Structure formats: structure tokens, C-alpha cells
Amino acid sequence: MYSNGYNVYKNNSVNYASKEQLLLMLVDGAVKFSKIARQAIADKNVKLAHGNIIKTQDIFTELRVSLDTSVGEWSEQMFAVYGFINERLFEANIKKDIEIMDELIPLIEDVRNLWYDAEKKSRLG
């Protein structure tokens, strides 16, 4: 009963979220899934590692395709960063390499923090 109510709440929070809120949910998910993947690699749980790396890649693919690169140099640089992250995630997934994940997680956290800072600045005017 409670899990059903939680699922309704979760669906509504996504369905009625602003673009900014959805973006923040995505980058939070990327951090979460990359950390789960890293731990799964450490635990030698190949299936869990693979699934969570794929989820992280899917998020960065979505961020990349939704980025408006016509607005200037900053967006082009973010496009390149997202591409780099996806390439390294692919390599980490193939090799199940914890060192690559250790390299990527701080970068993924930086991307998340950048978007949180941008959202905060846009609210403050």
C-alpha cells in the first residue's frame, strides 16, 4: 500500500516538474547510478555494474542531445564534457575498471554541482 503511494508521488513529481527540476533530477541520478556502478565493480557484480553504467550513460546522452550548442562556447564545452564522460563510461563498462569510475565520479559530481549553482543563480535573478 505505501509503496504504491510512493510510486504515485514519484510519478507526479516527474510529470509536473519544470525543465530545471528535471535536469537536476537527471544529474542527481547520474551521481547515484555511477556510485552504485563503482561499488558493484568493487563487489564483482557485473550485472549491477553494467546496468548502472548504462543508466549513467543514458543520462549523459540525454543531456547531450538536449543541449543547445548554438548559444555559445560554454554549451559546446559542455557537449564535449558529456561526450568524454560517456566515452569513459563505455570503457569502464567494457573493462569493469574501478579506476575509471574513480576518475569519473568527481567529474559527474562537478557537472551536478554546476547545474545546481546555475539553477540557484537563475532563481536569484
Side-chain angles (χ1 to χ4, degrees):
M1 178 166 132
Y2 291 110
S3 66
N4 187 32
Y6 175 74
N7 288 337
V8 169
Y9 167 78
K10 205 165 131 181
N11 286 338
N12 284 339
S13 67
V14 170
N15 291 335
Y16 296 106
S18 68
K19 284 189 240 181
E20 294 82 9
Q21 290 169 323
L22 288 173
L23 180 101
L24 297 178
M25 287 179 200
L26 282 174
V27 292
D28 282 341
V31 170
K32 173 184 163 187
F33 298 135
S34 64
K35 288 181 176 182
I36 292 170
R38 188 228 178 265
Q39 187 59 49
I41 291 169
D43 296 341
K44 307 235 183 287
N45 186 335
V46 173
K47 185 176 181 179
L48 185 63
H50 173 76
N52 281 280
I53 289 173
I54 294 297
K55 288 177 186 179
T56 309
Q57 284 181 291
D58 288 348
I59 289 169
F60 279 98
T61 298
E62 183 62 32
L63 290 171
R64 202 168 195 222
V65 298
S66 64
L67 194 61
D68 183 359
T69 56
S70 69
V71 295
E73 188 177 331
W74 182 86
S75 61
E76 292 171 7
Q77 290 172 350
M78 289 306 294
F79 188 82
V81 168
Y82 296 163
F84 172 78
I85 290 170
N86 262 350
E87 288 171 18
R88 295 296 284 160
L89 285 167
F90 178 78
E91 188 175 348
N93 202 6
I94 295 296
K95 297 178 179 179
K96 298 300 182 268
D97 190 326
I98 204 162
E99 289 179 13
I100 295 173
M101 294 306 295
D102 286 342
E103 164 197 328
L104 284 176
I105 289 171
L107 180 57
I108 293 168
E109 290 173 330
D110 286 347
V111 168
R112 178 199 55 200
N113 295 341
L114 175 85
W115 282 114
Y116 267 89
D117 290 346
E119 192 274 336
K120 188 185 304 179
K121 285 179 183 175
S122 72
R123 272 191 291 118
L124 297 175

